[in-house]
Amino acid sequence: MVLFFAIQLATIFTIAWNFKDYFTYYYAFDTLLRVIFVIKIANDDSNPGYKIAWIIPVAFVPIFGGLIYVLFGSQTLKKKTIAKMTRISSDAYKTLNLKDNTVSKKLEDEDKTAFVQSNYINKFANFPVYDNTYTEYLPSGEIKFQKMLEELEKAKKFIFIEYFIIGEGIMWNSILEILKKKVAQGVDVRVIYDSFGSIEVLPLKYEKKLESMGIKCAVFNPFVPVLDVRLNNRDHRKICVIDGNVGFTGGINLADEYINAYELHGHWKDTAILLKGDAVWSLTVMFLTMWDYLKNSQTDILNFRGTSHEKYENAGYIQPYSDNPMDSEPVGETVYLNIINKVVDYLYITTPYLIIDNTMLSALCSAAKAGIDVKIITPHIPDKKYVHAVTRSYYEKLIGSGVEIYEYTPGFIHAKTFVADDKYGIVGTINMDYRSLFLHFECATWLYKTKCVGEIKEDFLKTLEVCERITIEQCKKIPWYKRATRGILKILAPLM
């Protein structure tokens, strides 16, 4: 940033000195251009917080403000990319049998409030609700790792793996050994990883190494050192599908810090969910849709539907769904808001980042003011100090409204979970920040009256035992210079 502003000042000085006779004309042109950009930003359909964050640099940073906005300001992908992915997704969604609304109708008859939440996901994320699915909440990376190894060993037909971060080490190398063995057995093994997410933990062109082992591989948005709006959009999903009958998702990536094989930011607390049965079909479709987009292929998705006929009685309702930056529909945020606005007893949330817009902030505060027991766990040891400073900037307002804030004192909590009223739960990849809610490809599982809803609540209450509750007195003792810094970072939070 220092270098950036130094270059800017030097450029302005050079122009003013060498072209002083024309500087007035240049400055008038630059000002007009920035005014046009500000008007454009103010009138687009993006989140108001995102608009404010961009208006400030555009309005007050001569020369470079407008250029940076042109390169990075767009929240959506390019039109050509959107058209291609929309076509692929549209074909895939047809295979989800959305017209068969038997389970949805059953949910409507049982609980109209739950049906309304589920129906939104069905209509705007295009993923249906299921029953007949076994769910198991996995309260740590270590447990998820062992479960994943066990299930991978059972694979007969195919293994699909899609993760934001894959890093060489104990966790990934153990998984890789099984994948190589399964390839030798004739199992179709495919891997997707995000280029930017894995840039520090995988060698360059790692996909070539995997392909040499017989593992099919695709890299999302390969990183190139060129300024490009595509850098904003990442594949933040975590999906593992085995034979179409078993699926994993949640916050846990395939790298050693997630299983505490080494200490990165203190003890790493994360969560995931294991699915068996009908709902795995949606995870399979998510993966193959992304695969076809990246590989420019056309898969007959129906060939990968699970073949297990096992019945899971009284399993509750399960709805895996994904969110993406291809449209202006904030599915991830709306699903969270739907739970917040319908809760009547308690709402417990874990999130590594609490960087929320005014709509989410108001919803949480209103719930607490109405007497709802609202508790949120955030990290005590951050992975990014400046981002955690923004998270803490919301504490005073939330606590003042009755929300209880706790920090996970052993280290960093990376889990993204909601649990409410012993009925509703969400386990997924969607952070409570602007990037997850508006810029990234994400996924999660909405749960209603499943066995694991109770397990999420139990784990939350157990985690509270090693957390520090933040008080309003602590918030008011923050020095003025820290408040000022957090205030500035808060305004720019949507760009982080």
Side-chain angles (χ1 to χ4, degrees):
M1 292 300 294
V2 171
L3 179 62
F4 170 76
F5 283 111
I7 292 173
Q8 178 174 279
L9 289 173
T11 303
I12 293 172
F13 177 79
T14 301
I15 292 172
W17 181 261
N18 293 307
F19 304 99
K20 52 182 177 290
D21 293 338
Y22 303 98
F23 185 73
T24 302
Y25 301 106
Y26 159 74
Y27 194 79
F29 173 76
D30 181 66
T31 301
L32 177 62
L33 200 59
R34 283 185 281 137
V35 168
I36 292 171
F37 278 131
V38 168
I39 293 172
K40 178 184 182 299
I41 295 168
N43 285 279
D44 69 22
D45 295 327
S46 61
N47 183 276
Y50 197 77
K51 292 181 184 181
I52 293 171
W54 272 114
I55 285 174
I56 290 173
V58 169
F60 298 104
V61 180
I63 303 174
F64 294 109
L67 176 61
I68 294 172
Y69 174 72
V70 169
L71 291 172
F72 298 108
S74 175
Q75 284 188 266
T76 59
L77 298 165
K78 295 176 180 178
K79 289 182 179 180
K80 184 178 178 180
T81 301
I82 293 173
K84 177 183 174 183
M85 185 165 280
T86 300
R87 173 179 52 79
I88 294 170
S89 299
S90 178
D91 292 342
Y93 295 149
K94 292 175 184 177
T95 69
L96 287 171
N97 298 319
L98 297 181
K99 291 182 179 180
D100 180 9
N101 63 355
T102 305
V103 178
S104 185
K105 185 66 172 66
K106 178 183 169 186
L107 176 59
E108 183 178 15
D109 293 341
E110 184 174 334
D111 189 323
K112 189 63 179 286
T113 301
F115 165 76
V116 168
Q117 295 185 40
S118 172
N119 195 44
Y120 168 80
I121 298 171
N122 196 333
K123 285 188 172 182
F124 290 93
N126 295 308
F127 288 94
V129 64
Y130 303 86
D131 53 9
N132 192 40
T133 302
Y134 168 82
T135 58
E136 183 177 349
Y137 175 69
L138 308 175
S140 72
E142 293 87 332
I143 293 174
K144 186 261 179 97
F145 179 38
Q146 291 305 315
K147 287 283 184 181
M148 192 170 172
L149 292 179
E150 291 170 12
E151 296 298 335
L152 287 170
E153 288 282 9
K154 301 174 187 176
K156 303 292 185 195
K157 297 180 179 178
F158 63 87
I159 297 171
F160 296 156
I161 290 176
E162 178 183 349
Y163 280 81
F164 179 60
I165 297 174
I166 293 177
E168 290 187 315
I170 295 170
M171 188 180 193
W172 173 242
N173 292 346
S174 300
I175 291 170
L176 184 58
E177 286 304 310
I178 297 176
L179 299 185
K180 289 191 291 186
K181 181 170 65 176
K182 290 300 172 179
V183 167
Q185 295 172 1
V187 175
D188 181 359
V189 179
R190 307 186 192 189
V191 173
I192 297 173
Y193 65 87
D194 186 272
S195 172
F196 193 80
S198 304
I199 194 169
E200 294 183 348
V201 289
L202 283 183
L204 188 66
K205 297 190 181 300
Y206 186 72
E207 71 275 15
K208 301 295 184 185
K209 179 178 179 179
L210 293 181
E211 288 169 353
S212 70
M213 301 173 185
I215 298 170
K216 301 171 186 175
C217 187
V219 181
F220 182 89
N221 210 347
F223 178 77
V224 290
V226 177
L227 297 179
D228 192 329
V229 68
R230 295 181 307 126
L231 294 175
N232 269 333
N233 306 119
R234 311 310 317 177
D235 181 3
H236 194 245
R237 306 192 311 195
K238 292 93 180 170
I239 297 171
C240 175
V241 177
I242 301 162
D243 292 345
N245 301 317
V246 177
F248 293 87
T249 189
I252 301 165
N253 283 297
L254 306 184
D256 282 357
E257 62 267 31
Y258 292 85
I259 57 172
N260 291 291
Y262 79 97
E263 186 174 298
L264 182 59
H265 305 293
H267 184 270
W268 194 291
K269 164 69 174 171
D270 214 333
T271 60
I273 187 170
L274 165 63
L275 305 178
K276 294 183 179 181
D278 293 356
V280 178
W281 179 226
S282 284
L283 294 179
T284 306
V285 171
M286 285 181 210
F287 177 91
L288 288 172
T289 301
M290 182 64 77
W291 181 268
D292 280 350
Y293 164 70
L294 296 175
K295 287 294 191 178
N296 199 26
S297 58
Q298 189 170 359
T299 302
D300 188 349
I301 294 178
L302 283 172
N303 289 336
F304 296 90
R305 187 154 196 171
T307 55
S308 174
H309 299 293
E310 190 166 354
K311 296 297 181 183
Y312 302 99
E313 301 294 337
N314 302 313
Y317 297 88
I318 303 93
Q319 195 164 14
Y321 63 95
S322 66
D323 192 12
N324 63 72
M326 294 191 299
D327 54 37
S328 58
E329 185 62 36
V331 171
E333 183 181 45
T334 303
V335 173
Y336 283 163
L337 286 171
N338 283 342
I339 288 185
I340 297 169
N341 292 330
K342 300 296 190 301
V343 65
V344 297
D345 185 16
Y346 74 87
L347 171 65
Y348 300 157
I349 299 170
T350 62
T351 181
Y353 315 116
L354 188 62
I355 304 174
I356 50 181
D357 62 13
N358 190 63
T359 303
M360 184 76 74
L361 179 64
S362 297
L364 290 168
C365 291
S366 296
K369 288 176 180 178
I372 306 300
D373 176 17
V374 182
K375 291 180 171 66
I376 303 174
I377 299 178
T378 65
H380 182 70
I381 301 176
D383 62 338
K384 305 176 185 70
K385 290 184 178 180
Y386 63 93
V387 175
H388 195 53
V390 180
T391 290
R392 286 176 164 173
S393 73
Y394 289 93
Y395 286 0
E396 188 169 349
K397 172 71 173 176
L398 289 164
I399 294 170
S401 298
V403 177
E404 296 178 19
I405 303 290
Y406 296 83
E407 289 190 351
Y408 180 67
T409 52
F412 184 66
I413 190 160
H414 190 254
K416 311 98 167 45
T417 64
F418 270 50
V419 62
D421 293 348
D422 293 341
K423 293 181 180 181
Y424 303 105
I426 296 177
V427 180
T429 70
I430 307 172
N431 295 318
M432 295 180 73
D433 66 3
Y434 286 84
R435 289 202 163 273
S436 269
L437 296 174
F438 303 112
L439 296 178
H440 289 168
F441 288 83
E442 303 279 1
C443 66
T445 300
W446 179 87
L447 306 157
Y448 176 72
K449 287 190 175 180
T450 66
K451 177 179 67 73
C452 71
V453 167
E455 296 168 353
I456 300 170
K457 179 184 180 182
E458 182 182 355
D459 181 53
F460 184 94
L461 295 175
K462 184 178 179 181
T463 304
L464 282 185
E465 296 173 4
V466 292
C467 291
E468 174 191 359
R469 182 174 177 179
I470 307 301
T471 65
I472 194 70
E473 289 75 24
Q474 287 174 293
C475 295
K476 290 182 177 178
K477 288 179 181 178
I478 300 298
W480 68 267
Y481 58 88
K482 280 192 176 182
R483 286 179 178 271
T485 301
R486 290 178 182 179
I488 294 170
L489 290 172
K490 190 174 180 179
I491 293 173
L492 300 175
L495 309 185
M496 293 181 181

